[in-house]
Amino acid sequence: ELKQCTKHLDKLRDKILENIGTYYAGTDTSLPLSGWYQAIATSILFSGGAELWRARHVAGKVTAPDAELYAICSAIVNAISHDDCTDIFIFTDSMASARRAVDPSIHSRQGHSVAVCEALQTWFTRKDGQSITFVLRMQAALSCGASWNVLFQDPEYRGQNFLHLKTVDRVFGQPGGKDNPWIHFANMSSPQLYAHTGRNCLDPVGTSRNFS
């Protein structure tokens, strides 16, 4: 799967480099382990193989998806500011944040999404045939996920504040990444069940571990 993804990205890179007016950006975030510090949203913009712009933004004390949304917003707005821009490719490791970037409905950090939608609306009215594409950096996601899965097996790293859930094969399950949260183990048939599952997974003080 990793080799196929790498081959696909190589072909996509060659296609991007051939097209004049195509801008592509990579986005990422850095989330501190300590609650004393703020998250950082980063983005870097290219066209024709040349780096045009890069930035690091202080995103505040937010979650990783919120910081990624900030980085995506920054990259899109900057790409659109170039008059010759006809196509945009955004490489991200969080497709959930990419979807939220073009969703102006009420959600966390909605202001970034509104800014993206307003910028895209103006950009799309300039001429026909313009497009924006989000590309999941699967190689990075798989590599980080594999490393984290190994670390999670260490009780000292994992800590004591996780509910040990078992899969249908009776083996211990663990969170599966940004777009595959642990809460998918439960069948969310009601808001009450969703809330109880969340509290049990996070194991706050006084939460019962019993499911009915």
Side-chain angles (χ1 to χ4, degrees):
E1 183 179 0
L2 184 57
K3 290 181 179 179
Q4 291 179 349
C5 181
T6 302
K7 185 177 180 180
H8 168 71
L9 290 177
D10 287 341
K11 288 183 177 180
L12 181 60
R13 176 199 59 197
D14 294 339
K15 178 182 177 181
I16 290 174
L17 292 176
E18 292 174 357
N19 297 329
I20 299 175
T22 298
Y23 286 71
Y24 54 103
T27 65
D28 206 355
T29 62
S30 176
L31 213 64
L33 297 178
S34 170
W36 291 99
Y37 303 102
Q38 301 182 61
I40 300 296
T42 63
S43 52
I44 182 169
L45 183 68
F46 297 87
S47 181
E51 179 184 329
L52 302 179
W53 169 86
R54 67 167 59 199
R56 294 187 298 270
H57 303 284
V58 177
K61 295 182 179 180
V62 298
T63 63
D66 287 342
E68 186 75 23
L69 176 60
Y70 189 177
I72 291 172
C73 173
S74 176
I76 292 175
V77 171
N78 192 275
I80 289 175
S81 68
H82 295 267
D83 293 334
D84 63 336
C85 179
T86 58
D87 297 283
I88 301 172
F89 287 83
I90 303 294
F91 291 82
T92 174
D93 62 359
S94 175
M95 198 53 68
S97 295
R99 286 191 292 266
R100 281 204 302 160
V102 290
D103 177 12
S105 64
I106 297 175
H107 56 71
S108 179
R109 305 295 162 176
Q110 179 191 14
H112 296 317
S113 301
V114 172
V116 168
C117 291
E118 288 181 343
L120 288 176
Q121 184 178 28
T122 302
W123 182 61
F124 280 127
T125 57
R126 290 181 188 173
K127 61 180 72 174
D128 295 332
Q130 301 184 134
S131 67
I132 180 170
T133 304
F134 294 99
V135 183
L136 179 63
R137 295 190 291 111
M138 184 60 72
Q139 181 173 355
L142 289 174
S143 176
C144 292
S147 299
W148 189 86
N149 287 340
V150 173
L151 287 172
F152 191 80
Q153 303 305 316
D154 182 359
E156 184 174 343
Y157 175 85
R158 183 174 64 242
Q160 304 298 320
N161 292 327
F162 283 97
L163 174 65
H164 288 174
L165 298 173
K166 290 186 177 181
T167 67
V168 293
D169 298 323
R170 308 304 297 170
V171 297
F172 284 115
Q174 64 185 42
K178 294 180 180 179
D179 296 323
N180 184 25
W182 213 348
I183 206 149
H184 286 180
F185 273 105
N187 177 20
M188 296 305 149
S189 57
S190 71
Q192 292 81 6
L193 178 58
Y194 193 97
H196 283 303
T197 304
R199 286 197 295 270
N200 275 272
C201 286
L202 296 174
D203 192 26
V205 177
T207 297
S208 171
R209 289 178 176 270
N210 296 321
F211 287 93
S212 57

